Amino acid sequence: MTIQFQLEGTRGAARAGRLVTPHGVVETPVFMPVGTLGSVKGVAQDLLEDLGVEILLGNTYHLYLRPGVETVRRMGGLHGFMAWERAILTDSGGFQVFSLNQLRKVSEEGVTFRSHLDGSSHFFSPESAMAAQIGLGADIIMALDECTEYPAGRERARASMELTLRWAERSKKYFEAHKQEVPWGSGRGKGSPPSRGDASPNDNALGGDVKCTQGLFGIVQGGMELDLRKESAERTVAIGFPGYALGGLSVGEPRERTFEVVDATIPHLPTDKPRYLMGVGTPEEVAAYAGLGIDMMDCVLPTRAARHGLLFTSGGKVSIKQARYARDESALDPNCGCRVCQRYSRAYLRHLYASGEVLAQVLNTVHNLSFYLDTVRRVRHSIRLGEGTRYHPSVCSRPKS
Ligand SMILES: [Zn+2]
């Protein structure tokens, strides 16, 4: 197994744990900032490290189109290319194909889609989506799935679920045959770059044998049908992956429905493997899903909202563009310990935003990410309370960046 997961404590259904990846340990529950094109918009990598980000998400669809997988692979994968030595997860590209492409064509073989950049035609099969993600070299990669649209009738949800299951088998088969091709040298001595870390590739937090290659997660689908979700979970688990994602949620359904589907699906996933809920949510929702037993989450909301001047605070949402803040000397969130709230006034943040200053996007994003990370940190702490902790980070050989 290449990704290892260790449960450290539970409180009710909630779990706190450690996800051991080839590029470091990730404490869970974790919120993963989205770096679509190899960049969390507006925030440099060293600042992300300062904020305590342990894992980033990259989007295969976007990186495949620009700059292209081969360019990234030659630079040592995403880690080398973007000079980020901590963990990375890439999605399969499926969600973007389904959300950005009205003209997509799905067949048993895969999905044909048009680039949103220039209209050119492309094709993802489970195999080519794996090849792309192996080339990008994230620590955790995702099987190609069909993100079932909402609303979908029961027959449509079942057909889509069955297709995703067949694609999961094909994804795993291709991955198992090609996983040694990861650009940061899983071969350990077979042309892999020399280790820069101070630990040998076999050192890890759990004292076991962590081979330095990627971990492939399966994705549970099934639309909003609870029995299909159960079946999808059981059959995906039967295929066997080191972690499981819940996909096809947050696609337009009411929030209560999302919550219900997640809650009903979790009991059908193994307790000793990480559970990743894709594409949610507000800070309150992130905390609530962690309470249900979700270990990993990602969402563009904190970064995208920040760029639109929408800030999450302990007192609720703040739209910093409003004139009422023009002379407001107070901190954005007096209960937030982030560098933005410690230094700047609401009046200044409002001025930056109203003036279209680049710094507005940077500061707003830093605060929103801090707020999300603090929220999840508090959740972790409350789960772990009273639990002893003991671990040593694991480091694999890495490329020169
Ligand atoms: Zn703040």
Side-chain angles (χ1 to χ4, degrees):
M1 200 60 72
T2 57
I3 296 289
Q4 293 194 17
F5 183 62
Q6 184 178 51
L7 272 182
E8 301 264 320
T10 57
R11 172 170 286 196
R15 308 121 60 83
R18 290 196 162 88
L19 185 62
V20 182
T21 81
H23 289 83
V25 172
V26 177
E27 294 193 60
T28 63
V30 64
F31 179 80
M32 304 182 284
V34 178
T36 297
L37 276 160
S39 154
V40 174
K41 293 188 196 326
V43 187
Q45 277 71 324
D46 53 348
L47 189 41
L48 294 171
E49 288 163 1
D50 285 353
L51 295 179
V53 175
E54 293 175 325
I55 180 168
L56 282 181
L57 189 140
N59 289 124
T60 299
Y61 167 88
H62 290 92
L63 291 161
Y64 160 88
L65 291 176
R66 187 170 58 186
V69 172
E70 186 55 22
T71 298
V72 177
R73 193 188 66 76
R74 283 171 177 271
M75 302 289 288
L78 261 182
H79 293 94
F81 184 53
M82 64 182 287
W84 175 260
E85 298 207 342
R86 298 185 181 181
I88 301 176
L89 179 150
T90 50
D91 60 6
S92 68
F95 180 76
Q96 274 77 27
V97 167
F98 291 99
S99 60
L100 293 176
N101 282 267
Q102 303 303 320
L103 297 171
R104 67 180 181 267
K105 244 180 151 166
V106 182
S107 67
E108 184 63 34
E109 194 49 35
V111 55
T112 305
F113 60 96
R114 287 195 180 280
S115 161
H116 70 289
L117 297 175
D118 60 9
S120 55
S121 183
H122 300 267
F123 178 72
F124 272 161
S125 65
E127 292 78 14
S128 69
M130 284 301 98
Q133 289 186 84
I134 291 170
L136 295 174
D139 298 272
I140 298 173
I141 66 176
M142 307 300 298
L144 183 67
D145 63 325
E146 185 185 39
C147 181
T148 314
E149 68 283 358
Y150 178 85
R154 187 176 167 77
E155 284 317 303
R156 163 69 193 139
R158 169 167 283 285
S160 177
M161 178 197 86
E162 296 282 358
L163 181 65
T164 288
L165 284 164
R166 291 191 297 275
W167 283 4
E169 298 250 23
R170 285 168 56 188
S171 294
K172 183 178 175 182
K173 189 174 172 199
Y174 186 92
F175 175 71
E176 290 300 330
H178 295 270
K179 62 184 178 185
Q180 302 307 324
E181 295 164 16
V182 68
W184 31 265
S186 62
R188 283 187 290 167
K190 291 187 285 184
S192 57
S195 172
R196 292 173 63 204
D198 53 10
S200 85
N202 282 331
D203 284 352
N204 67 84
L206 308 177
D209 175 30
V210 174
K211 292 199 182 90
C212 281
T213 192
Q214 304 166 288
L216 170 65
F217 281 22
I219 303 180
V220 174
Q221 290 286 347
M224 302 299 148
E225 311 284 327
L226 300 188
D227 60 329
L228 292 185
R229 285 277 169 180
K230 172 177 183 285
E231 183 179 341
S232 176
E234 289 172 348
R235 290 171 61 188
T236 307
V237 170
I239 295 169
F241 295 95
Y244 298 93
L246 281 73
L249 292 165
S250 225
V251 288
E253 77 280 10
R255 280 292 175 266
E256 309 78 64
R257 191 68 180 149
T258 320
F259 202 80
E260 187 183 0
V261 171
V262 172
D263 196 28
T265 306
I266 283 177
H268 307 293
L269 294 173
T271 54
D272 62 346
K273 297 287 191 295
R275 305 155 176 168
Y276 165 28
L277 178 55
M278 308 174 86
V280 297
T282 64
E284 298 78 24
E285 288 165 355
V286 164
Y289 289 122
L292 292 182
I294 291 293
D295 306 300
M296 306 163 66
M297 286 163 275
D298 76 282
C299 193
V300 294
L301 189 56
T303 42
R304 182 175 291 166
R307 298 196 299 278
H308 291 96
L310 188 64
L311 303 170
F312 297 96
T313 76
S314 58
K317 278 179 248 175
V318 168
S319 178
I320 200 66
K321 67 183 81 170
Q322 292 177 359
R324 57 197 279 213
Y325 301 121
R327 294 187 177 177
D328 189 338
E329 294 177 38
S330 59
L332 169 60
D333 182 350
N335 296 317
C336 178
C338 89
R339 58 183 71 203
V340 177
C341 293
Q342 293 301 306
R343 183 158 191 164
Y344 304 106
S345 65
R346 290 179 169 191
Y348 183 62
L349 294 175
R350 192 258 172 188
H351 159 73
L352 290 179
Y353 188 85
S355 310
E357 285 291 326
V358 172
L359 187 58
Q361 300 205 355
V362 176
L363 298 182
N364 291 349
T365 305
V366 167
H367 164 78
N368 269 0
L369 279 183
S370 299
F371 189 79
Y372 267 71
L373 295 167
D374 283 347
T375 300
V376 178
R377 207 172 280 130
R378 272 197 299 276
V379 170
R380 274 202 305 268
H381 182 71
S382 76
I383 301 170
R384 280 220 174 103
L385 218 58
E387 299 281 343
T389 55
R390 187 170 61 84
Y391 81 107
H392 306 284
S394 153
V395 182
C396 277
S397 60
R398 298 169 185 166
K400 276 187 96 65
S401 47

